[in-house]
Amino acid sequence: NYLIENHTGFFKIDLATKKELLDLLNIEHRYLQAFDLIYLPDMVGKEVNSNFLETYLEDIILIELKTTKKYLPENPKGFFFGATENEFNFGKILGARFRFCFVSINEKGSSFSLQTIDELEARIKNRRIQFQINL
């Protein structure tokens, strides 16, 4: 909500619209959970529908949100987050059309930082694998 309410160009889309967007991009639906928003810099107040997707398809950037309440004056420096292999693979498929968006919501100052996979890879200091198991 912070992004949508305070910055132009960010749009939340529903599941059906996400599926339609992936179909237009010829990308498998297994990546439905690999992005949360779409971003079109400087776009204001448009309704996201089929016509919108087709009209602006080449300009749409898919965004995966990562949020923290930690104060980060040099966002994303100091950000700690979890990410799935699927998110990284999706970012590699889309290249510059995908960004991780690091959002810091803090009373001292809120901020966000958009990072491509390549930009993020250059910044990563430490990475570890964690298994998540369902029984």
Side-chain angles (χ1 to χ4, degrees):
N1 288 338
Y2 162 76
L3 292 172
I4 292 168
E5 293 170 5
N6 296 291
H7 300 281
T8 60
F10 291 96
F11 298 89
K12 179 85 173 138
I13 59 175
D14 62 23
L15 185 60
T17 307
K18 282 176 123 180
K19 288 179 180 179
E20 185 176 354
L21 177 56
L22 290 179
D23 288 343
L24 289 168
L25 294 169
N26 281 328
I27 295 176
E28 298 173 60
H29 286 196
R30 70 186 182 110
Y31 292 107
L32 281 168
Q33 300 303 316
F35 71 104
D36 300 304
L37 301 173
I38 60 171
Y39 178 60
L40 286 104
D42 303 319
M43 180 69 65
V44 180
K46 296 273 189 178
E47 181 185 338
V48 179
N49 55 31
S50 295
N51 188 45
F52 177 96
L53 293 178
E54 290 173 16
T55 301
Y56 298 105
L57 184 62
E58 296 305 315
D59 301 317
I60 292 173
I61 297 170
L62 289 81
I63 302 293
E64 172 60 21
L65 288 175
K66 302 297 178 186
T67 60
T68 186
K69 292 182 180 178
K70 185 177 178 182
Y71 178 57
L72 296 174
E74 297 178 54
N75 190 356
K77 185 177 180 183
F79 213 105
F80 176 80
F81 69 100
T84 65
E85 184 177 21
N86 216 32
E87 290 166 353
F88 274 88
N89 290 342
F90 187 58
K92 288 174 185 170
I93 290 167
L94 285 173
R97 297 190 66 182
F98 175 85
R99 302 279 195 294
F100 278 102
C101 183
F102 298 98
V103 179
S104 168
I105 300 173
N106 186 282
E107 60 189 31
K108 291 181 187 178
S110 296
S111 63
F112 74 93
S113 174
L114 294 171
Q115 302 284 309
T116 65
I117 292 293
D118 289 342
E119 291 167 336
L120 185 58
E121 294 280 5
R123 289 179 170 270
I124 291 173
K125 293 180 181 178
N126 191 7
R127 172 187 271 166
R128 65 184 168 85
I129 294 173
Q130 178 181 344
F131 295 98
Q132 295 185 346
I133 301 166
N134 291 328
L135 299 177

